[in-house]
Amino acid sequence: MAFEDLLNQVGGLGRFQILQLALIFPSFMLLTPHLLLENFTAFIPGHRCWVHILDNNTVSDNDTGILSEDALLRISIPLDSNLRPEKCRRFVHPQWQLLHLNETIHNTSEADTERCVDGWVYDRSYFPSNIVTKWDMVCDYRSLKSVVQFLLLTGMLVGSIIGGHFSDKFGRRLILRWSFLQLAITDTCTAFAPTLSVYCLLRFLAGFSLMNIISNNTTLSTEWIRPQSKALVVILLSGALSIGQIILGGLAYVFRDWQTLHLVVSVPFFVFFLFSRWLFESARWLIITNKLDEGLKVLRKVARTNGMKNAEETLNIDVVRSTMQEELDAAQIKTTVCDLFRHPSMRKRICILLFIRFANTIPFYGIMINLQHVGSNIFLLQVLFGAATLIVRGLALFTLNHMGRRISQILFMFLVGLSVLANTFVPEEMQTLRVALACVGISCSAAAFSSCAVHLLELVPTVLRARTLGIDLMTSRIGAALAPLLMTLTVFVTTLPWIIYGVSPIIAGIVVFLLPETKNLPLPDTINDVENQKKLKKNQ
């Protein structure tokens, strides 16, 4: 934790930190559109079977000109239990006798029906084209949409595991730059995917890089910030994700074609890759990994940028070595992921943090991936959710600074659970109330994420911080993948998935009490620092 002394000498929150955040902030804003693209590119439009008598352009106008389109539809498509045209079946032969039935009478005919063997006709009022209409992901192939989303989440899961290890080994900046380039290439190529299989592969690779960008941007930012301002930085970065939701709603409304939308959100990452060359590597990581010369060089550059001329003159290898001697000695012992679970204090912290992340992710994605089912105007809902999460994340900054890390998480997690449970018993006809409660749930869940992120960064040592973030994000991806699977429980009890969504964050909020408070404490650099924090707390 002695690095805080060096950071104070070069400036813990000055011109350098502001410029660094200015370079990172735009990339964070455009990450959310990549995460939630399938809300629009895989939107399932209204559809019905293609029928020869109605949709064949070669049929002579004289053959059916005396009948309206509604009449032709009625004799071609059977009605479902809600007296609406079936989406996935059609009559084998036109049922002319149905023209003589009253429109309010349900179709009780036992006429032969068949699947949509000739394809589908889609309602293109929302989107002229997307991946659902391109590859006919409806009816028997409707589950393909879940496959696409699952592969994206799987890519994020794998990326969080591998990326965290590489970041602790090769540095935050290198892995971040590579991830920028990978995301730019893969999601740009996705717009031109010739088959669904290629599309899924590219989205998997995009998900791989998404997690690395989130974790390395966060780590690179917070490791250059003084303890008193870490909450502010994390909230700003998470607020950028909320702004990204708003941006996605606007972009999807303007660019209705899925290929254009992909290009609009992907091409800017080539620019972020080029600008990332001006990002500075974490001096904290450089010193802990025994790269003292590089660490000293970066510290001097930061001091110069922040106008700390005296620090630039007095900083040298001997000063760095003497200040960080204890941490350097501890860092000589090779650390692995197993060290997170080998030491009692670390094991307790990690297990609790992972459970909290998992329990909060389930309701968040339970709401977000069901955006189409919350309301009819998905563009407005996306913007509304983004605005709500942005406002409540701002509130999280206030609670983190004045109430502490633990109380903030407990407050927001209880609000998430209660809002989801309340929404479970609101009738579907009360759409306004349901949307309002969904906004409360999604925004408080986002604020809980931000609070948990601040707490995690302050509980985990530098030598294992990136790997811990990777494991934490991996746990988040498991929760995200589980969220849609829980919806299958509706076959037993229709409200059971939503009850689980509501109960899980409440339990996690209770478990937060087992973690220590870290408000205004310096970041630990080694596992010994974590153990010393525990001893210090006992002495107090």
Side-chain angles (χ1 to χ4, degrees):
M1 294 187 284
F3 181 81
E4 306 300 335
D5 296 333
L6 296 176
L7 189 58
N8 288 332
Q9 293 182 49
V10 302
L13 184 62
R15 189 184 308 155
F16 161 76
Q17 284 82 2
I18 294 173
L19 291 174
Q20 183 106 324
L21 283 173
L23 288 172
I24 289 174
F25 196 83
S27 64
F28 245 76
M29 287 195 299
L30 284 185
L31 282 178
T32 307
H34 287 270
L35 287 167
L36 303 176
L37 264 177
E38 270 73 33
N39 270 341
F40 302 95
T41 61
F43 175 85
I44 300 177
H47 54 277
R48 61 169 175 80
C49 293
W50 186 95
V51 291
H52 176 81
I53 195 172
L54 183 59
D55 304 307
N56 190 354
N57 293 329
T58 62
V59 174
S60 172
D61 291 338
N62 293 331
D63 295 337
T64 58
I66 59 174
L67 296 177
S68 66
E69 182 175 336
D70 289 340
L72 292 174
L73 184 63
R74 188 175 187 188
I75 65 175
S76 304
I77 304 293
L79 301 179
D80 61 17
S81 58
N82 296 318
L83 299 181
R84 296 175 181 173
E86 283 276 5
K87 296 180 178 181
C88 301
R89 300 197 69 82
R90 69 180 186 182
F91 290 123
V92 176
H93 303 289
Q95 302 299 301
W96 301 101
Q97 72 277 9
L98 295 179
L99 294 175
H100 306 294
L101 294 178
N102 188 289
E103 291 184 359
T104 61
I105 298 178
H106 186 273
N107 174 22
T108 57
S109 172
E110 297 183 358
D112 292 335
T113 61
E114 61 183 358
R115 296 177 179 176
C116 303
V117 294
D118 295 318
W120 290 264
V121 174
Y122 297 100
D123 176 7
R124 300 182 185 273
S125 58
Y126 269 101
F127 301 99
S129 68
N130 62 14
I131 64 172
V132 172
T133 59
K134 181 178 177 64
W135 289 301
D136 291 327
M137 296 161 57
V138 292
C139 298
D140 293 341
Y141 307 102
R142 189 184 182 110
S143 60
L144 289 176
K145 175 181 177 178
S146 298
V147 171
V148 172
Q149 293 174 321
F150 175 76
L151 287 174
L152 172 68
L153 296 173
T154 303
M156 296 168 74
L157 172 63
V158 176
S160 62
I161 298 172
I162 299 176
H165 173 74
F166 284 165
S167 296
D168 279 335
K169 187 173 183 179
F170 300 110
R172 287 72 161 116
R173 180 175 176 271
L174 176 64
I175 302 304
L176 177 61
R177 295 201 70 201
W178 171 258
S179 299
F180 277 149
L181 183 60
Q182 180 176 321
L183 180 61
I185 293 174
T186 52
D187 255 356
T188 298
C189 292
T190 300
F192 306 100
T195 65
L196 181 59
S197 299
V198 174
Y199 179 91
C200 290
L201 174 62
L202 291 171
R203 287 296 279 164
F204 172 86
L205 295 175
F208 187 98
S209 54
L210 278 170
M211 283 297 95
N212 289 328
I213 293 174
I214 292 175
S215 61
N216 284 287
N217 265 338
T218 303
T219 305
L220 202 58
S221 300
T222 54
E223 288 185 349
W224 275 114
I225 296 292
R226 64 186 184 185
Q228 299 89 336
S229 302
K230 283 183 173 59
L232 172 63
V233 171
V234 173
I235 294 299
L236 284 175
L237 293 177
S238 59
L241 295 176
S242 297
I243 294 174
Q245 292 185 23
I246 299 173
I247 292 173
L248 175 59
L251 290 177
Y253 182 80
V254 175
F255 303 103
R256 302 295 183 95
D257 179 77
W258 72 276
Q259 292 176 305
T260 305
L261 182 59
H262 257 284
L263 290 175
V264 167
V265 300
S266 300
V267 171
F269 278 87
F270 286 108
V271 179
F272 299 148
F273 167 72
L274 295 176
F275 277 92
S276 63
R277 65 188 297 268
W278 286 294
L279 291 174
F280 283 12
E281 180 57 272
S282 168
R284 186 189 297 266
W285 176 83
L286 289 169
I287 295 171
I288 290 298
T289 53
N290 209 30
K291 299 178 181 178
L292 296 181
D293 290 334
E294 295 180 47
L296 177 61
K297 184 179 179 180
V298 174
L299 283 171
R300 285 177 171 173
K301 287 182 178 179
V302 172
R304 190 182 311 121
T305 305
N306 284 339
M308 310 287 284
K309 296 181 180 180
N310 293 334
E312 187 180 354
E313 295 171 357
T314 57
L315 273 177
N316 54 55
I317 287 289
D318 293 333
V319 171
V320 173
R321 192 184 300 276
S322 61
T323 304
M324 300 286 293
Q325 189 60 55
E326 184 179 343
E327 285 76 9
L328 288 170
D329 292 339
Q332 297 304 311
I333 303 173
K334 187 177 181 180
T335 56
T336 65
V337 175
C338 296
D339 289 313
L340 292 172
F341 304 95
R342 185 176 292 125
H343 302 271
S345 296
M346 283 302 307
R347 180 169 59 247
K348 177 184 174 181
R349 291 184 180 190
I350 294 302
C351 290
I352 294 175
L353 286 168
L354 295 183
F355 174 74
I356 292 170
R357 181 76 169 194
F358 175 80
N360 190 36
T361 302
I362 291 176
F364 182 83
Y365 280 91
I367 299 172
M368 287 301 296
I369 64 176
N370 289 310
L371 191 63
Q372 187 173 348
H373 302 287
V374 175
S376 57
N377 192 332
I378 60 173
F379 307 106
L380 179 60
L381 283 174
Q382 187 68 71
V383 173
L384 189 61
F385 282 176
T389 56
L390 181 62
I391 294 171
V392 179
R393 274 173 166 152
L395 176 62
L397 177 61
F398 175 83
T399 60
L400 285 168
N401 287 333
H402 292 83
M403 301 172 63
R405 291 15 175 174
R406 292 193 304 179
I407 298 301
S408 295
Q409 293 179 73
I410 294 167
L411 171 65
F412 290 119
M413 287 182 181
F414 269 75
L415 288 174
V416 173
L418 293 174
S419 63
V420 173
L421 289 175
N423 213 355
T424 303
F425 303 101
V426 174
E428 292 187 6
E429 295 76 19
M430 302 176 67
Q431 278 293 307
T432 302
L433 180 58
R434 289 177 64 84
V435 171
L437 287 172
C439 282
V440 172
I442 203 73
S443 57
C444 289
S445 182
F449 275 133
S450 301
S451 304
C452 184
V454 174
H455 210 187
L456 182 145
L457 290 168
E458 295 174 346
L459 287 170
V460 179
T462 301
V463 291
L464 290 168
R465 187 166 293 123
R467 272 173 278 191
T468 304
L469 275 173
I471 296 173
D472 184 64
L473 292 172
M474 176 194 71
T475 306
S476 175
R477 294 311 98 199
I478 295 174
L482 179 62
L485 294 180
L486 287 175
M487 293 304 295
T488 60
L489 297 177
T490 54
V491 299
F492 304 107
V493 180
T494 55
T495 58
L496 184 56
W498 296 100
I499 292 175
I500 296 175
Y501 293 159
V503 171
S504 58
I506 293 176
I507 296 174
I510 297 172
V511 174
V512 172
F513 277 112
L514 300 176
L515 290 173
E517 180 58 60
T518 58
K519 178 185 174 183
N520 292 335
L521 294 179
L523 290 181
D525 289 318
T526 66
I527 294 177
N528 287 340
D529 288 340
V530 174
E531 299 299 326
N532 291 336
Q533 280 182 342
K534 182 179 179 181
K535 293 177 182 178
L536 181 62
K537 183 180 178 182
K538 286 183 177 179
N539 293 334
Q540 291 175 341

